[in-house]
Amino acid sequence: MSELELGSLGLVLNIADDRAHIEHAVEAERLGFSALWLFGGQLELLEPLAEVLRATEKVAVAPAIVSLDVHGVDDVVRLIEALDDGEAERLVGGFGAPQQAARPLAGLAEFLDELDGADVSLPAARRLVAALGPRKLEIARDRAAGAITMLVTPGYTAWAREVLGPDATLVVIQPVVLDADLDRARRTVRGPLGFLLSVGGYAANMRRMGFGDDDIAAMSDELVDAIATVGDADAILAGVRAHLDAGADHVALSVFSEGDQPTAIEVARAVAAASTLPR
């Protein structure tokens, strides 16, 4: 089904109170990143997506992901209606099953049905579904352009490609820390990782990828190194290539940082300077 072209390398931006993410979006596009992503957990309103679309010229702009516990089809329709045709064509929807629903997969299917029937819709070819397990991957394949995954190994990416088939788009959101001190970098990953492992299906997917309960509870070095990339710009690019070689179409860098560690736009500059990836 997929007609979605995202390029190979994207960047996740944090929404900032001082609106610095708008300037960073413009710079990231100039640096050659082909898609820009906004954290869904920061999208109390969907307006920041419109603001980034208006500030940029060619890049795809997507949420990772729109929470269906917070936003419904009416919110998506209002967002699309606020865009001109060129901006709307660059908007990619990223949606996940509602976590607070009694039957999350049924809630996701109901949302997609309602979106299909809306007067102003986002076509299946420009939407992605957050997916880890096989049933969600099948929904992503059958009801959308493809899937968004996060906290996964290249081995998982290869397996997800098999489930999705050759035509669907597979996006990997890849946590990265640009820091030569690997122990410090791993500690930085463990902060948000601890929260993420407590929600959704991430812990279950760690087991699916072969990690034991001790690894998960301790967030061991082996686990951190398998699902995140830490080190210099070359190490980050090697992590991107590993997922692309395993079957991903697009890898978006999700930058974690503490203290004086480089922020997302600083990592983007370093990676762009070192990269030979087509974007």
Side-chain angles (χ1 to χ4, degrees):
M1 161 183 284
S2 182
E3 301 172 0
L4 189 59
E5 295 291 341
L6 292 174
S8 62
L9 189 59
L11 181 68
V12 181
L13 296 173
N14 284 297
I15 299 172
D17 291 338
D18 62 2
R19 298 175 57 81
H21 59 283
I22 303 296
E23 295 178 7
H24 294 165
V26 173
E27 181 176 357
E29 180 177 41
R30 188 170 65 247
L31 289 170
F33 288 83
S34 55
L36 301 176
W37 300 77
L38 299 182
F39 277 120
Q42 297 180 330
L43 290 171
E44 296 180 5
L45 300 172
L46 299 183
E47 176 62 20
L49 291 165
E51 292 173 341
V52 172
L53 283 161
R54 292 177 191 130
T56 54
E57 298 179 356
K58 297 180 180 179
V59 291
V61 176
I65 57 172
V66 169
S67 170
L68 302 190
D69 295 311
V70 177
H71 298 291
V73 168
D74 289 345
D75 296 322
V76 177
V77 168
R78 280 192 291 271
L79 171 64
I80 297 168
E81 289 177 335
L83 303 173
D84 66 29
D85 289 345
E87 292 161 353
E89 289 174 357
R90 293 191 288 119
L91 174 67
V92 177
F95 306 108
Q99 297 301 308
Q100 297 176 17
R103 298 172 61 212
L105 292 183
L108 174 60
E110 181 180 342
F111 170 85
L112 294 174
D113 288 341
E114 191 177 345
L115 187 60
D116 285 340
D119 291 336
V120 178
S121 185
L122 187 69
R126 289 213 320 276
R127 64 191 185 210
L128 297 164
V129 170
L132 290 176
R135 287 190 295 169
K136 286 183 181 177
L137 285 167
E138 289 166 359
I139 292 173
R141 178 192 64 205
D142 298 339
R143 300 292 309 272
I148 304 170
T149 66
M150 187 170 76
L151 304 185
V152 297
T153 65
Y156 170 94
T157 294
W159 171 78
R161 172 52 68 196
E162 290 183 6
V163 177
L164 289 170
D167 298 326
T169 297
L170 177 55
V171 173
V172 175
I173 307 293
Q174 178 72 354
V176 301
V177 179
L178 182 60
D179 192 336
D181 185 333
L182 299 187
D183 288 336
R184 182 172 63 179
R186 292 182 184 115
R187 288 196 298 271
T188 297
V189 172
R190 289 187 180 102
L193 178 60
F195 168 75
L196 291 168
L197 289 176
S198 71
V199 300
Y202 289 114
N205 201 52
M206 294 296 167
R207 297 183 184 94
R208 189 181 290 118
M209 293 188 295
F211 293 102
D213 289 342
D214 290 343
D215 274 318
I216 296 168
M219 294 181 283
S220 67
D221 287 354
E222 291 76 14
L223 186 149
V224 170
D225 290 347
I227 55 88
T229 302
V230 300
D232 60 14
D234 288 336
I236 291 172
L237 285 165
V240 170
R241 289 190 188 94
H243 282 287
L244 294 175
D245 290 346
D249 297 292
H250 178 83
V251 177
L253 305 181
S254 177
V255 177
F256 297 169
S257 65
E258 290 183 351
D260 61 356
Q261 290 169 332
T263 62
I265 194 61
E266 292 170 326
V267 172
R269 293 167 188 153
V271 168
S275 177
T276 59
L277 288 171
R279 283 168 280 172

